[in-house]
Amino acid sequence: MTSTLRRALSIAALVAVPIVAFAPVAAAVPTTVNFACQGSTPVGPQNFTLQQNAEVTAPATVAPGGALSIVIDPAPNTIPASVNGYTVRRVHTMALKVPIPANSTYVSATLSGGSNVGTTSISVANGVATITATGPINGGATFELPTVTANLTAGASGTIQTKLYGTSYTDPGLTFTAVVRSFLGDMNVPTKCYPNPNPVITTTTIA
C-alpha cells in the first residue's frame, strides 16, 4: 500500500469518527394524553376524562426522501370501575386514531404486544391510521394497547411531527362502547373522546 493511499484512508477514518459519534438517534419521549370524553346515555350526555401514558420514539433528523419509523408504545392502563356513579360492566369496540404526519408518506404499519384487549388491527385511510381493539375489557380491569410502528418516507423538507387525532366530541380521536349498569338495567353507551390538550409529541427535522 502506498504512503499516499495510507494517508488518504487515515484521513477518511478520522472524518468518519465524529459523523458516527454525533449521528442523531431515535429517543423515546414519555407522554401523558388526557382525553375529554362524552358518553351518550338515555338520561343525557355524561362527560368524564381518561388518561393514557405512552412512550413515542422518532428520529431527530431524517434525510429528504429517507425512511423513518415512529413507534408509539402505550403503557398499561385500567378501565374505570365506575363513571359518574354508573358501574362500568365492560368496554368493547375501541378505536384510536393517529394522523399520518405532514411532510411524510405512509409505507406500512405493524402492531405488536398488547394484552386483554381482544383482537387488534390497524388500517389507514384518508391520511389517518386507526387502531382497533374488539375487547371486551371488564370495568376495573388492566389492559395494554399494542405498540404501533409506523414506517414512513420523509418528504423534501420541513418537519415531521407526531400528534394524536381529534378536536372535539364531533371529531373524536378515540371511540368505544361502554356497557354500564343503571336503574334501567345494563345499557350500551357509545363514547367519543378527543385529546385535550393535543400537543406535538415528537418532531423529526428533514435535513
Side-chain angles (χ1 to χ4, degrees), residues 89-178:
R89 299 290 297 274
R90 58 190 174 275
V91 165
H92 63 84
T93 322
M94 184 181 295
L96 175 67
K97 294 182 177 181
V98 180
I100 303 301
N103 300 319
S104 73
T105 302
Y106 171 78
V107 177
S108 64
T110 58
L111 299 179
S112 61
S115 63
N116 196 28
V117 290
T119 301
T120 59
S121 63
I122 185 168
S123 61
V124 177
N126 301 318
V128 178
T130 302
I131 301 95
T132 58
T134 60
I137 312 168
N138 292 332
T142 299
F143 69 97
E144 185 174 1
L145 290 170
T147 297
V148 183
T149 300
N151 302 306
L152 311 172
T153 299
S157 62
T159 59
I160 298 170
Q161 296 182 326
T162 306
K163 294 184 68 175
L164 294 181
Y165 183 90
T167 58
S168 65
Y169 298 134
T170 57
D171 182 33
L174 171 66
T175 59
F176 56 86
T177 297

Side-chain angles (χ1 to χ4, degrees), residues 71-83:
V71 181
I72 302 174
D73 183 12
N77 206 342
T78 302
I79 295 295
S82 65
V83 173

Side-chain angles (χ1 to χ4, degrees), residues 12-80:
L14 289 172
V15 170
V17 168
I19 292 176
V20 173
F22 295 103
V25 296
V29 178
T31 185
T32 298
V33 180
N34 294 293
F35 287 98
C37 300
Q38 185 176 85
S40 299
T41 77
V43 296
Q46 298 292 316
N47 295 337
F48 59 99
T49 60
L50 291 176
Q51 191 175 82
Q52 175 66 56
N53 295 329
E55 284 193 345
V56 183
T57 304
T61 63
V62 64
L68 72 153
S69 295
I70 296 174
V71 181
I72 302 174
D73 183 12
N77 206 342
T78 302
I79 295 295

